[in-house]
Each structure stands twice: as structure tokens, then as C-alpha cells.
Amino acid sequence: MSIHLLPIDVIHLIAAGEVIDSLAAVVRELCENAIDAGASRVTVSLFPDQWRIQVADNGTGIELADLQVAATAHSTSKIDDREDLFHITSLGFRGEALHSLAQLANLEIYSRPRYSGDGWHLVYNHQGEVTRQQEVAIAPGTVINIENLFGAWEARREGLPNLNQQLRQVQAVIYHLALCYPQISWTIEQQHRPWFQIVGSKTSQQIIPQLLPKVRVDDLQYVELNIPAFNQTEDRPNLEPIFYNRTADFSAPAEDSIEEAKIQLTLGLPDRCHRHRLDWVKVAVNGRIVRAPELEQTIVSALARTLPRDRYPVCFLHLQIPPHYIDWNRHPAKVEIYLQQIEYWQSQVLRAIDSALNLDPEEINDRDTSITSRIGKLLAVAEQQGAYHIPNRSISPTFNDGDGLGLLELRAVGQVHNTYIIAEHSDGLWLVEQHIAHERVLYEQISAAWQLLPLEPPIILSHLTERQIEQLQDIGLTIDPFGEGLWAIRTAPAPLLMREDLAAAITELSWGGDLQAAQVAVACRCAIRNGTTLSLPEMQSLLDRWQRTRNPRTCPHGRPIYLSFKESSLARAFRRHWVIGKSHGI
Ligand SMILES: [Zn+2]
């Protein structure tokens, strides 16, 4: 589609808050244009002392006729009329970006279309009119050069934060684009010197380790689900049809049209990677990082009992859904959005999280704990060789919906220190801590069905404080005064009912915590203690039940449950490749 003028009513529909007010905003506008042009490489060069920004891409390039009107008021190649505005899928739909940039700075564009013709260099005045035009020999793609930004807008320059903060904003813009468009390779320079680089790859699983240096590809799990957007199947009869009530003349798509949506989730495995702040739960919708509070909440609560205390997940969720589900205008700068049928999307996100947390045999076999060289090194080598993907073995498999995850066949072979179960499987062996594995099993049972049963006779406790009584009532127990300083507990959580330490257990619950914490405490109390001797069938049964939990990786306190020894690592440790003679059992 070529660039043309926008009808005036469409212009007015575009959120008015769109202004270019920072270095980062310029970088974002130009990079989004590069992405829309289908670029696979983008180079951003910053010269802050000259207020100069240059963005070069290898995208489709712009024809001369389009270049001539590219910076005039309200031209865009992305929207035809108001109907299109509600089907927005491309990023730079505002159309005014180049015009605004011409007003705010000195603008010049070099461009050569990928499949035809010559390269052109155009210089624009502050009205966006072409003042110079000449043919140039350049590679296909587009280079946009912005100089003397805000030169005539002293107040805007003065309103900006210090340079370091501005550069951090620029970095955040690039990081977010890199997550949303993992296939693109980014080179960012300052004053002709390399600043940072992100090597394009298949999914954001390979991007995150380039942004968070302590995280390895192995610490992350990538899941992709294709889901129907229009879910009219019988198991979800309550989903209402979408209402097209924004404009009277807006026609809905045919009732029977089946639309596809996609969820891409990269999740830090809770036994391996988490943050001390809630700063890495990122949600993108159709290529743009947004604030989607409902979805962020879904992710955080789904992982609440899998992470250690006061630790937070690493998670990047990318939803690709039909645009009419999205209302971008919840916030004028389009950073916060509202999704229609939010419960449906939340349930699909939970499904994706569940798949990511499973113990999948392939994924486990793919792990090679001996890869110590930093991912950056691998990537740098790949970059030099011009191969834009990292070695296959570090890429975990992608599940498509319906593949089924399968379970690793674990066989209990013994017990160490009456604490660890040794389990073997076709590719190695695991040590599983018996208490926390059992605790995970019980916790999931208890939280799925929290049952309070009558105590006959009641348990009588003394010296309970007001707060303890309230706490017990909060988690659902029935308590009556029973005399001077005595209280009768008339109901108790089902798993505790037959226990001899029931009174102690209830006292423990009275000390505080929410319902979830109470459920964890009950699970912990009822789980097999470490130090208990188990028979092989008992161990096997525990392993089987534990493997089938929703999140077998960590206990409800966030501690890892198992330690894996891969056969290939053992072979290396014992130097089994030293072929000396057949007598060594090789
Ligand atoms: Zn415990």
C-alpha cells in the first residue's frame, strides 16, 4: 500500500495525545516505521550532542512518489478510512509521525525500494515539503535522518530529563520492540560507537537472555498456543458476541467467520529464574508492549505459589488477536488497553502458563547444563557468520496446541538419607526431595478443594488473642467462646481432621497469613517428613502423583523440588569418551 492523505474525520479520531516529546519517542516512531516496512535489520545511531538520530532499515523502501508526500500533513500508508482505524494492526498508524518530525527537526530520507528502481535522497523543510531531491546509490531500504531535534522548541529541550535517563528510555523502547519482533536484529550506536546489539532469533526466548545477562535460554520456557478467537464451542456457552457499537455505519464481520488468535509466552522457570521486583512481567498485544493490568494480574497470581517469598516472575506474554477485541484508547498514549472478553483471554493465558510449567521430557533432555559460555558470545559468533539464529540445542521445543506434553517416565530406584528419592529415566537421573514433592501434591489438592469439616467433639484452645480468633474466622473456621479464656473450635480443614497434632496445627494457622498461606501450612504439616523411610512402591506412587501436579518444579514456598543429572553430563564427568579399551565397559 502506498502513502496517501488521510480523510480529516479519521485524523480527528486518532488520539490527540500523540506527541513526539522525547528522544525515545522519535526512536520509537522511526523504528516502528522500519518494522512496518518489513525490516529484518535495524540500525539506530544516536548523536545526542547534535540532537541527531538516524534509523536505517533493510525494509521494502519507499517509492519516489511516496517520498515526495511522506512528510506532508496527515499522510499515511496505513489507514484508508475510519473503518480501518478499528482494524489497526500496524504500528505507526498515526500517520503524522514524519510530518511532526519535519516540524520539530531537520528531516531527510534516503530510500530505495526493494524490488524496483533507484535510491533517492530527499530533504524536507519544516512544513514537510521537499526542498531537495537527488538520486543516490544505496542498498534497498530506508535511512531516516533527524537533526537538530527541538532546535526551535527550546521549552521541549528544557523539559527533558538528563541524558542518561533519556538514553535509558531509548533502550527500553528498543528492548520492547525486540521482544515483540524477535526476528529483527538491532544495532544501536552512540557517536559511531557500538552501544548494544540484539541478535534476531526465532522467539523471545532467545531475546530475553540478551536483555537480562544473568538469565540463560535454558532458564526460560517458550509456549505457543493457537486458539480460536471466536469461541463458540459448547464448553464455553457463556461467551457473548462482540458488540460493534462504536460507529453506526460499522459493519460486523460475518457471524460464521472463525478468527485465529495466538498466545506466545516466554516464562522464566520458577525454580531457576525470578526477580526481586515486579519489573519483568511484560504484556504485548499485536506487537506493542502495553499495560494490561488484568492479564498482568493473571500471570502474577498464577505464579504466586511457585516462587520464593518476595520474588517475582520473569514473563513475556504476546497476544496476537483480532484488532476489534482491543480498545487502544483507554489511554491516549495507547500504553494501557482494554480487552473485550477478558476472562476468555485470561483462561487461555493460564493454559499457556500450565504448559510452560510442566515437566516435559523433550525440554528436559534438551537442557545441557554444561553450556557455560555466555549466550552473548554464541550470538556474536552467529552474527559474524551471518547466521541469524543460535545453535539448535539451546532452543527448547515449541508446543502447539493439542500436541500433549507427555510425561517423562520416572522410576524410583532408591532413597538417600531417608530424604531424597533417586529416580531414573531414559536420559539420566533425578534426586527428588520427598517432603516438598509431597507438599506440592497436597497443596494442589487442598487448594482445589478447601474443605472444612465439623469437629466432634470440638477442640478447646485457651489464651487466644483477638487477632488469632479473627484470623481463624477469616480462613473459615467456626469458633465459639467456651468459658473463661477458652474457645471451642468446631470445624477444621479436612486433611487435619484425624491428626494427633490437630490443636498445634490450628494454633499455627491462627498466627496469620491469608487462605493460601493456610493451605500451604496444612500441606506442609501433612506431607511426609524428611527422615521417613519409604518403600519403593511408596516412592513410585509419590513420584507419579508429583509429576502430575500443575507445577511440579517448585514447592509452594518456591523451593526447587528436584535436581537433574543428565546422562550426557555424567558421561562427561566420568570421561567416558576416553576410549582406552573395551575392558572399561564402554
Ligand atoms: Zn514443608
Side-chain angles (χ1 to χ4, degrees), residues 382-433:
E383 166 81 346
Q384 277 162 17
Q385 295 168 346
Y388 288 97
H389 40 80
I390 58 174
N392 221 7
R393 60 177 179 171
S394 352
I395 298 172
S396 294
T398 297
F399 314 123
N400 283 314
D401 195 16
D403 277 359
L405 296 176
L407 280 173
L408 198 64
E409 252 185 68
L410 285 179
R411 197 170 68 86
V413 292
Q415 193 187 21
V416 180
H417 290 170
N418 290 333
T419 297
Y420 306 104
I421 299 169
I422 304 177
E424 70 168 359
H425 60 82
S426 54
D427 277 292
L429 65 88
W430 287 7
L431 291 180
V432 180
E433 204 208 278

Side-chain angles (χ1 to χ4, degrees), residues 435-436 439 520 523-525 527 529 555 557 559:
H435 169 72
I436 55 175
E439 190 174 296
V520 174
C524 180
R525 187 170 284 267
R529 304 276 106 193
C555 84
H557 302 100
R559 286 167 53 206

